[in-house]
């Protein structure tokens, strides 16, 4: 079964699919408390999650207290202060409740109640007074029902209950896709870049699941429409929506541009916000290790990554770019000051410090020291000759040399 959020816009239905039973996630809203000493409140809700807490302060009262959680409809997304229940516009088959924490001896029961517009509230089922996710099935699903979860609290007891999620399920008829189209039929990119493909189904209300595949995962991978260039070559990305219903995108991946430390720092500095990533996927940076942060071997042994500073020349006294929490590409190598290395990862800045985003998202590999003489017979990749300021400049692996082979 595939889950569909309560706030899913109708315009998005063309690029998503779900099975016959779908879930609407309701951001818990609306709380009520009586005068018998029970307080109920909610935090700010995101579209998919939040917290609803009932504090029980009922030690000296003669009667039990209660608090309830109201549930709203798909067409009324439960935003703002709502004081009346909104009828659910689908036949609900079951309701899931997730409890994060509870003081058990202060709760009598947690009950799901339903009613029609004219009827009284009746019990549809009870939840256990325990942490975890639980379900209550609706015996006779009916449209236009009102739902609420009631927490009944004991007198002369204190405690609380924390609820993080309520999901309710309904049945939706399957609609078979007749056509599928992608928003791009070709994509050319350098290795390590990524893009998002969007599939549109016809008719727009089609529920057929879209399956994504790549003809060569050594060149490009795809997950839910996100394509990542992993190796030089060509591949075809196919989106399938049933037998014979498919659309394709031809992918061409070229070798990555090699950035110097200065170029990487400049790109990282171009983002406006702290820790904001430079867009379009990962980047390749080459340079010398100038100093290390902490003890790399200890960090690698404990965390699987380590950090160091890089510069474009071995004799630099100050690093230009920080390789932050990178993992060794071969799973073992610990680099040292003076090593010439290649780092692949996202670019960002922390404060004003340009860096790679690590924590498993960046890798480092030790390379042989680059040659100073530029000779096409010894190059691993072809050089590019150009004229800058009236002088011959040879560019290889992102580095510039003059006619004598001296790095500029």
């Amino acid at each position: 079964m595939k889950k569909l959020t309560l706030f899913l816009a109708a315009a998005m239905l063309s690029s998503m699919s779900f099975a016959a039973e779908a879930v609407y996630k309701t951001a818990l809203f609306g709380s009520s408390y009586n005068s018998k000493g029970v307080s109920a409140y909610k935090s700010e809700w995101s579209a998919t999650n939040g917290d609803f807490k009932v504090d029980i302060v009922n030690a000296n009262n003669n009667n039990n207290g209660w608090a309830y959680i109201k549930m709203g409809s798909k067409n009324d997304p439960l935003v703002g202060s709502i004081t009346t229940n909104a009828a659910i516009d689908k036949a609900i088959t079951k309701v899931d409740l997730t409890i994060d924490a509870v003081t058990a001896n202060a709760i009598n029961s947690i009950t799901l109640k339903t009613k029609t517009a004219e009827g009284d509230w009746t019990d549809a089922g009870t939840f256990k007074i325990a942490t975890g996710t639980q379900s209550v099935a609706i015996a006779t699903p009916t449209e236009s029902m009102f739902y609420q979860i009631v927490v009944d609290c004991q007198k002369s007891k204190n405690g609380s209950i924390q609820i993080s999620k309520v999901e309710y399920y309904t049945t939706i008829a399957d609609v078979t896709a007749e056509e599928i189209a992608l928003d791009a039929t070709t994509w050319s990119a350098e290795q390590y870049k990524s893009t998002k493909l969007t599939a549109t189904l016809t008719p727009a209300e089609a529920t057929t699941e879209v399956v994504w595949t790549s003809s060569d995962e050594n060149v490009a991978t795809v997950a839910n429409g996100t394509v990542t260039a992993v190796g030089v070559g060509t591949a075809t990305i196919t989106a399938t929506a049933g037998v014979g219903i498919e659309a394709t995108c031809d992918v061409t991946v070229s070798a990555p541009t090699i950035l110097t430390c200065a170029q990487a720092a400049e790109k990282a500095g171009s983002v406006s916000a702290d820790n904001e990533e430079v867009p379009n996927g990962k980047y390749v940076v080459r340079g010398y290790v100038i100093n290390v942060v902490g003890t790399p071997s200890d960090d690698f042994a404990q965390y699987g990554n380590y950090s160091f500073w890089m510069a474009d020349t071995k004799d630099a006294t100050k690093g230009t770019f920080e390789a932050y929490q990178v993992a060794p590409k071969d799973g073992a190598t610990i680099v040292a000051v003076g090593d010439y290395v290649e780092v692949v990862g996202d670019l960002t800045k922390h404060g004003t410090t340009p860096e790679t985003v690590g924590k498993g998202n960046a890798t480092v590999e030790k390379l042989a020291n680059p040659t100073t003489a530029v000779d096409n017979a010894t190059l691993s990749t072809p050089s590019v000759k150009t004229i800058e300021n009236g002088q011959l400049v040879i560019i290889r692996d992102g580095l510039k040399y003059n006619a004598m082979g001296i790095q500029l």
Side-chain angles (χ1 to χ4, degrees):
M1 295 184 299
K2 200 101 177 243
K3 293 183 177 180
L4 181 66
T5 62
L6 173 66
F7 303 105
L8 183 64
M12 294 176 60
L13 287 172
S14 61
S15 61
M16 298 187 66
S17 61
F18 41 83
E21 189 174 49
V23 60
Y24 294 99
K25 294 181 179 178
T26 173
L28 309 181
F29 79 105
S31 61
S32 178
Y33 59 93
N34 64 6
S35 60
K36 299 185 179 71
V38 177
S39 63
Y41 62 90
K42 65 182 178 65
S43 65
E44 294 299 320
W45 293 99
S46 67
T48 58
N49 199 11
D51 295 314
F52 181 94
K53 187 174 183 181
V54 177
D55 274 341
I56 302 157
V57 287
N58 202 24
N60 300 314
N61 290 295
N62 295 323
N63 299 311
N64 291 347
W66 52 263
Y68 65 79
I69 302 167
K70 300 173 183 177
M71 297 172 61
S73 70
K74 180 172 77 71
N75 293 330
D76 189 347
L78 323 180
V79 175
S81 177
I82 302 176
T83 56
T84 58
N85 289 315
I88 306 294
D89 62 351
K90 296 290 183 182
I92 304 303
T93 58
K94 71 172 180 175
V95 173
D96 284 355
L97 173 71
T98 299
I99 300 173
D100 287 341
V102 62
T103 302
N105 65 359
I107 308 290
N108 278 328
S109 64
I110 307 170
T111 308
L112 174 66
K113 294 182 179 289
T114 65
K115 80 179 190 73
T116 61
E118 298 81 15
D120 296 325
W121 288 105
T122 59
D123 291 351
T126 59
F127 298 95
K128 295 179 181 179
I129 306 172
T131 58
T133 300
Q134 308 165 42
S135 298
V136 167
I138 308 299
T140 307
T142 307
E143 290 190 22
S144 300
M145 294 284 286
F146 297 86
Y147 294 83
Q148 65 181 17
I149 295 171
V150 178
V151 180
D152 184 70
C153 312
Q154 293 184 27
K155 65 179 180 179
S156 301
K157 297 288 184 180
N158 296 299
S160 66
I161 179 172
Q162 190 85 16
I163 296 171
S164 66
K165 190 187 327 183
V166 173
E167 293 180 334
Y168 57 97
Y169 291 72
T170 186
T171 300
I172 299 176
D174 281 328
V175 178
T176 302
E178 299 173 1
E179 296 179 6
I180 184 173
L182 296 179
D183 58 343
T185 57
T186 61
W187 180 56
S188 296
E190 293 183 356
Q191 188 180 6
Y192 307 118
K193 304 306 181 187
S194 60
T195 191
K196 175 70 175 179
L197 294 177
T198 300
T200 300
L201 299 180
T202 302
E205 63 272 17
T207 61
T208 308
E209 182 179 7
V210 177
V211 178
W212 298 87
T213 57
S214 170
S215 64
D216 190 345
E217 293 194 343
N218 292 320
V219 174
T221 60
V222 61
N224 297 322
T226 298
V227 182
T228 302
V230 297
V232 176
T234 59
T236 299
I237 302 300
T238 302
T240 304
V243 178
I245 308 297
E246 63 180 37
T248 60
C249 176
D250 293 326
V251 174
T252 302
V253 180
S254 57
T257 298
I258 309 299
L259 301 181
T260 64
C261 297
Q263 290 169 332
E266 183 179 4
K267 276 189 173 293
S270 67
V271 295
S272 57
D274 191 24
N275 294 326
E276 178 186 356
E277 292 181 3
V278 177
N280 300 325
K282 300 182 186 300
Y283 292 80
V284 182
V285 185
R286 287 183 182 174
Y288 292 94
V289 178
I290 298 302
N291 55 26
V292 296
V293 179
T295 307
S297 58
D298 290 347
D299 287 348
F300 175 61
Q302 184 172 359
Y303 306 111
N305 53 59
Y306 51 90
S307 303
F308 53 87
W309 280 88
M310 300 170 61
D312 290 319
T313 61
K314 186 182 292 187
D315 58 356
T317 58
K318 183 179 179 181
T320 306
F321 183 81
E322 184 179 11
Y324 176 67
Q325 293 187 347
V326 296
K329 188 174 182 179
D330 63 3
T333 298
I334 305 294
V335 302
V337 172
D339 287 342
Y340 186 67
V341 299
E342 176 178 282
V343 174
V344 179
D346 297 311
L347 298 184
T348 186
K349 63 180 179 181
H350 181 66
T352 58
T353 301
E355 63 183 16
T356 57
V357 177
K359 299 182 180 179
N361 295 323
T363 60
V364 59
E365 180 181 13
K366 183 178 177 179
L367 304 177
N369 286 329
T371 58
T372 57
V374 179
D375 182 348
N376 278 326
T378 63
L379 293 181
S380 58
T381 57
S383 62
V384 175
K385 296 180 180 180
T386 185
I387 300 295
E388 293 184 6
N389 299 322
Q391 293 184 340
L392 174 66
V393 175
I394 303 173
I395 303 173
R396 177 176 63 85
D397 290 340
L399 301 178
K400 293 182 179 181
Y401 302 84
N402 61 21
M404 299 300 294
I406 305 300
Q407 185 178 336
L408 301 176

